[in-house]
Amino acid sequence: MKRFIVTIMAVLIITATLAAQEITGLQIIENVYNRPTGQDQEGDLTMSLINSRGDERVREIKQFLKDFGDMEKKIMFFKSPADVRNTSFMNWSYDSEEKDDDQWIYLPALKKVKRISSDSKSDYFMGSDFTYDDLGDRHPSSDTHKLLREETIDGENCYVVESIPKEEEYMYSKTITWIIKDKWIGKKKEFYDEDEDLLKTLTVKEVEKIKDYFVITYSEMHNTQKDHKTKMVLKNVSIDSGISDNKFTERMMKRGM
Amino acid sequence: MKNKILIMILLLSAIFLLNAQVNHHGFVRTYIGALTEQDGEYSVLQNTFDWKLDYGKGDVALFINPVFDYNSFNNNLDITLRQVYMDIYFENFDLRIGKQQIIWGKADGVFITDIISPRDLSEFILPDFYEIRIGTNAFKFDYYIGDATFEVVWIPTFQPTITPRKGSIWYKNMLDFPIPISYYDQMYDVENKLSESELACKFSYLGSSIDFELMTAYMWDDNPAVHIFPQPDSTVHIKPEYHRLPLVGASFSKAVGGAIVRGEGAYYFDKRFSAEDLSVNAVKEKDYIHYLIGYDHNWFGMNVSFQYIQEYILDYEDDIRNDEFSSTTTFLIREDFLRETLHFEFFTYYGINNQDALIRPRISYEFADGFDFQLGANIFVGDEGNFGQYDENDMIYIKVRYYF
């Protein structure tokens, strides 16, 4: 009998281990990358930049994005503060890893749309704690992924995946992401600097289900080394509302919302 | 002064009547500049209220940009309308009618195909470029086909470049005659009639592989040619005159390996150049090429930009006062610190022919959103040339600006 119980337990452990190994880190990240997000989306984005003394500066943006199959187009119109009002930014990103993003900026004082280098992905977006790369969808093949463990955060069962960039000069030495199992959406992400010290932590505070799609509506990035943070809130979200292709053009960058 | 205040009150009243439907924004700025070579004599003491008002309803929008400049030197208030226009939007095309700034091309700080809006050079090229460009009365038509745009601009009346007034530190008398001279008393001899209007067309494309513009224009040269007529009494009579200036041009911008490569060029037909030969009244007509190649890159977090510009007079004759080839470079480096509240910028023009330069370092800090303090310098190097001629005008300045 004793031998039978030991055998059963061994079978259960092996089965559980095999089940856990069924999914890899790469597959988890690919599931997140390929999570349906709708054909198009628009919303009002508010970024609150809070320094270590608690002083707050607010940036307000209206953003539109649309999936064009092999590429995604995004356009942002800056509403405040006053010195960047009517500035717009457009980004076209491609499924192909070979092709860099195309980016343009419209500065109302210059009255012209200027193509800018997408090589500045490590630059911080409008003085926030988010870099341009943090705000985009990083292709899964850019990193080597490893499933570290499973954990429960705020009652959500998560996979914990470590991602190490293949590019040596990348701004982070590694990231560790907590991904909610049944939603394929991030719950938390840690970014490590080139010395492998924790640089900043992204925490997803609110996720809303809009038209069958999970959307992050409130997140916070905390730079733990400099102790400043950025709250990012997305409101008035509308998905699959049929945004015109013409929204993502030079004409609209100049004309505004 | 009374009339100006009345205009201001009327404008404010009109805005008040339209009230909440009008969006308004702009800035207030105090600008003080001192000449370092002249014992710190002030060259600029200016307070500016730059007000932008826009109103839109349906497919029609209005934009008004009054600018109030108070000059402390002479206690003078200048009120100008930099722009005032209406937009009418249709399915595939737009119309913009009124006084407007129109900016073409891919060059930064250099005017090659960007010839639609004339310039206010009363303070040389030191003001911000959007303040240098004068709004021009125009009808602008834009037709959109996917990512391409076809634009036609009709300018009914000619407006020349504003040059520095006599007595200004930026005024230079180019005509140094050892004999008495007399001036033709009518400077602006372009008549206000349909046949004297200007027309320009542009086809532009913005796409994933490249952005480009192709343009042609039938303009007036914004700068007059100075005709010199020898008189029987051994004096000379001088007549500045504006001439037609047709041109074709193109520009492009392309991402190459993480950098942006830009180019722009124009071919001007029969541009007038000053010459020694008085048998042709000291003016010669030559075709002329003006082009630029530029490179922008993010280098260790700093934005770096370099431009090489060349001007070439075709079928050159030795008595022409300009050089056959004239080359200039520009260099810009800019970096932001403290979460984009502290900015450092270093910009320079370098004239290769005369080995002269304009060096413009500046540092600015945002105390709060929209409220910035700027400290900068304009340093002229050389003895002659576009920049060297102002060697005495080295300047340090502060600008305090609040955007609302």
Side-chain angles (χ1 to χ4, degrees):
Chain A
M1 185 63 177
K2 200 175 176 183
R3 182 178 291 173
F4 176 72
I5 290 168
V6 169
T7 308
I8 292 290
M9 282 182 71
V11 169
L12 284 172
I13 288 165
I14 290 164
T15 309
T17 307
L18 285 173
Q21 287 175 347
E22 270 175 10
I23 194 156
T24 65
L26 175 62
Q27 286 167 333
I28 294 164
I29 297 298
E30 278 178 341
N31 285 344
V32 174
Y33 186 77
N34 295 318
R35 174 173 51 86
T37 52
Q39 276 300 110
D40 62 55
Q41 187 191 109
E42 67 175 275
D44 296 311
L45 190 67
T46 304
M47 286 198 308
S48 304
L49 283 56
I50 303 160
N51 67 16
S52 53
R53 297 190 303 276
D55 301 331
E56 189 169 319
R57 293 189 295 148
V58 176
R59 277 97 182 83
E60 292 177 300
I61 296 160
K62 177 82 179 173
Q63 69 172 22
F64 299 84
L65 53 100
K66 185 167 183 172
D67 189 349
F68 285 78
D70 58 348
M71 69 192 292
E72 183 185 88
K73 295 183 180 179
K74 181 193 240 183
I75 190 163
M76 297 173 127
F77 300 98
F78 300 94
K79 298 194 288 185
S80 76
D83 55 342
V84 295
R85 186 189 159 106
N86 293 335
T87 298
S88 57
F89 170 78
M90 185 161 70
N91 186 85
W92 294 1
S93 59
Y94 303 89
D95 284 351
S96 166
E97 204 194 343
E98 307 291 307
K99 190 154 172 49
D100 289 333
D101 290 4
D102 287 302
Q103 295 181 338
W104 297 267
I105 192 160
Y106 172 71
L107 300 168
L110 295 180
K111 277 188 175 289
K112 66 179 176 185
V113 173
K114 193 172 166 62
R115 182 183 280 267
I116 54 172
S117 165
S118 62
D119 208 27
S120 49
K121 286 186 167 182
S122 58
D123 284 2
Y124 286 95
F125 180 69
M126 292 188 84
S128 73
D129 293 292
F130 290 87
T131 63
Y132 283 86
D133 204 44
D134 297 340
L135 294 170
D137 289 331
R138 187 167 167 81
H139 200 280
S141 62
S142 302
D143 303 304
T144 305
H145 307 280
K146 182 180 166 189
L147 174 58
L148 296 179
R149 58 187 181 275
E150 295 178 24
E151 254 181 43
T152 301
I153 304 183
D154 298 336
E156 304 266 20
N157 293 324
C158 297
Y159 291 116
V160 184
V161 179
E162 179 189 72
S163 305
I164 295 174
K166 292 176 182 170
E167 180 192 341
E168 280 185 12
E169 300 298 313
Y170 191 58
M171 60 186 148
Y172 307 122
S173 58
K174 68 174 179 183
T175 58
I176 297 177
T177 315
W178 282 252
I179 291 146
I180 302 170
K181 272 184 167 179
D182 52 344
K183 294 177 181 166
W184 302 116
I185 199 163
K187 176 72 184 164
K188 182 181 161 187
K189 188 169 186 175
E190 291 177 345
F191 301 80
Y192 291 81
D193 66 14
E194 53 200 10
D195 298 324
E196 301 205 11
D197 294 327
L198 179 63
L199 174 66
K200 54 190 189 179
T201 304
L202 174 69
T203 311
V204 173
K205 304 267 187 179
E206 280 178 22
V207 173
E208 282 182 43
K209 195 169 187 183
I210 301 166
K211 278 192 181 173
D212 296 332
Y213 304 109
F214 290 110
V215 180
I216 297 171
T217 52
Y218 177 19
S219 59
E220 187 177 289
M221 182 76 91
H222 184 198
N223 185 319
T224 48
Q225 293 185 3
K226 294 183 176 168
D227 192 27
H228 48 61
K229 56 190 173 187
T230 303
K231 286 183 191 172
M232 190 176 277
V233 176
L234 188 61
K235 284 184 180 165
N236 304 320
V237 181
S238 174
I239 297 180
D240 289 346
S241 59
I243 298 171
S244 165
D245 292 0
N246 293 334
K247 195 80 191 172
F248 307 89
T249 56
E250 182 181 9
R251 180 192 195 185
M252 287 301 157
M253 289 188 79
K254 289 180 174 174
R255 182 173 160 181
M257 291 174 290
Chain B
M1 179 72 115
K2 250 184 190 174
N3 287 342
K4 288 171 182 172
I5 291 168
L6 188 66
I7 291 167
M8 195 157 58
I9 291 167
L10 284 172
L11 198 57
L12 284 166
S13 307
I15 302 311
F16 181 73
L17 287 172
L18 290 166
N19 199 7
Q21 294 165 323
V22 176
N23 297 310
H24 71 111
H25 55 108
F27 66 80
V28 176
R29 180 187 64 198
T30 293
Y31 175 22
I32 300 172
L35 300 172
T36 56
E37 305 268 318
Q38 318 288 335
D39 294 330
E41 184 186 330
Y42 291 121
S43 57
V44 185
L45 286 171
Q46 192 183 65
N47 291 285
T48 303
F49 174 37
D50 190 311
W51 197 15
K52 297 180 179 76
L53 305 134
D54 61 81
Y55 169 79
K57 196 172 184 183
D59 292 326
V60 178
L62 309 174
F63 180 77
I64 307 171
N65 181 195
V67 182
F68 305 82
D69 268 322
Y70 174 70
N71 192 328
S72 301
F73 282 129
N74 49 16
N75 196 28
N76 190 39
L77 176 66
D78 282 330
I79 302 178
T80 51
L81 277 174
R82 180 173 293 130
Q83 296 185 91
V84 51
Y85 59 76
M86 65 187 105
D87 282 318
I88 310 164
Y89 304 118
F90 296 88
E91 175 86 23
N92 293 318
F93 65 93
D94 299 333
L95 283 173
R96 176 167 288 179
I97 302 163
K99 190 178 185 193
Q100 54 190 295
Q101 293 175 320
I102 299 170
I103 294 151
W104 286 5
K106 306 291 182 193
D108 287 337
V110 183
F111 300 86
I112 299 174
T113 62
D114 183 14
I115 38 76
I116 308 294
S117 292
R119 288 165 285 167
D120 179 354
L121 299 178
S122 51
E123 292 176 56
F124 190 47
I125 53 168
L126 300 187
D128 292 340
F129 274 99
Y130 94 101
E131 293 179 279
I132 286 179
R133 289 188 177 92
I134 305 166
T136 188
N137 289 306
F139 288 71
K140 185 164 77 76
F141 167 83
D142 286 280
Y143 184 76
Y144 304 99
I145 318 144
D147 293 320
T149 306
F150 180 66
E151 185 169 302
V152 178
V153 179
W154 174 53
I155 304 168
T157 53
F158 169 66
Q159 189 174 1
T161 295
I162 297 174
T163 51
R165 60 181 166 73
K166 240 180 182 172
S168 157
I169 58 169
W170 306 109
Y171 177 80
K172 293 287 172 191
N173 188 0
M174 297 300 177
L175 301 163
D176 187 17
F177 281 93
I179 51 175
I181 56 173
S182 60
Y183 282 92
Y184 186 72
D185 56 5
Q186 192 183 343
M187 182 74 176
Y188 304 137
D189 58 354
V190 178
E191 292 181 62
N192 286 327
K193 58 184 187 182
L194 188 62
S195 59
E196 307 287 35
S197 58
E198 296 175 306
L199 192 65
C201 307
K202 181 182 75 165
F203 177 81
S204 61
Y205 172 80
L206 182 147
S208 64
S209 52
I210 194 168
D211 306 339
F212 69 84
E213 294 180 3
L214 303 171
M215 61 80 68
T216 184
Y218 187 60
M219 307 295 287
W220 290 95
D221 194 335
D222 288 341
N223 299 300
V226 181
H227 296 260
I228 300 171
F229 298 89
Q231 300 298 300
D233 60 358
S234 300
T235 63
V236 290
H237 182 75
I238 289 174
K239 182 188 178 192
E241 191 178 345
Y242 293 98
H243 294 276
R244 280 290 187 180
L245 186 62
L247 70 149
V248 291
S251 61
F252 75 91
S253 177
K254 183 173 174 56
V256 179
I260 302 295
V261 176
R262 293 178 284 118
E264 183 168 337
Y267 189 101
Y268 298 71
F269 299 90
D270 295 334
K271 185 173 169 62
R272 267 66 171 188
F273 292 93
S274 289
E276 304 287 342
D277 186 357
L278 290 179
S279 69
V280 289
N281 304 122
V283 171
K284 286 191 170 169
E285 291 175 31
K286 297 289 174 189
D287 288 356
Y288 159 79
I289 293 170
H290 193 182
Y291 72 93
L292 161 150
I293 190 88
Y295 179 81
D296 309 328
H297 192 48
N298 188 279
W299 190 58
F300 296 110
M302 290 181 288
N303 291 311
V304 178
S305 177
F306 174 81
Q307 297 182 123
Y308 175 79
I309 306 120
Q310 189 169 65
E311 297 164 79
Y312 170 47
I313 301 168
L314 280 81
D315 189 24
Y316 187 76
E317 293 175 53
D318 289 338
D319 67 322
I320 292 175
R321 288 173 184 247
N322 294 58
D323 290 339
E324 183 179 12
F325 289 93
S326 176
S327 304
T328 308
T329 59
T330 71
F331 177 70
L332 167 74
I333 186 163
R334 183 186 164 93
E335 187 162 13
D336 302 322
F337 303 92
L338 303 177
R339 302 179 98 188
E340 294 189 10
T341 54
L342 180 66
H343 311 279
F344 169 77
E345 186 179 296
F346 179 89
F347 180 71
T348 181
Y349 289 97
Y350 175 67
I352 293 172
N353 289 41
N354 295 297
Q355 297 188 344
D356 60 334
L358 167 58
I359 302 166
R360 309 190 71 186
R362 67 175 173 177
I363 189 163
S364 66
Y365 180 68
E366 286 174 35
F367 289 100
D369 278 340
F371 180 45
D372 72 64
F373 175 88
Q374 196 179 114
L375 174 67
N378 298 307
I379 303 158
F380 294 91
V381 179
D383 300 318
E384 54 182 349
N386 282 337
F387 314 109
Q389 63 179 330
Y390 296 120
D391 190 32
E392 305 284 302
N393 292 0
D394 290 353
M395 184 173 117
I396 52 168
Y397 67 85
I398 55 166
K399 287 180 184 177
V400 183
R401 180 159 27 194
Y402 180 69
Y403 292 91
F404 60 91

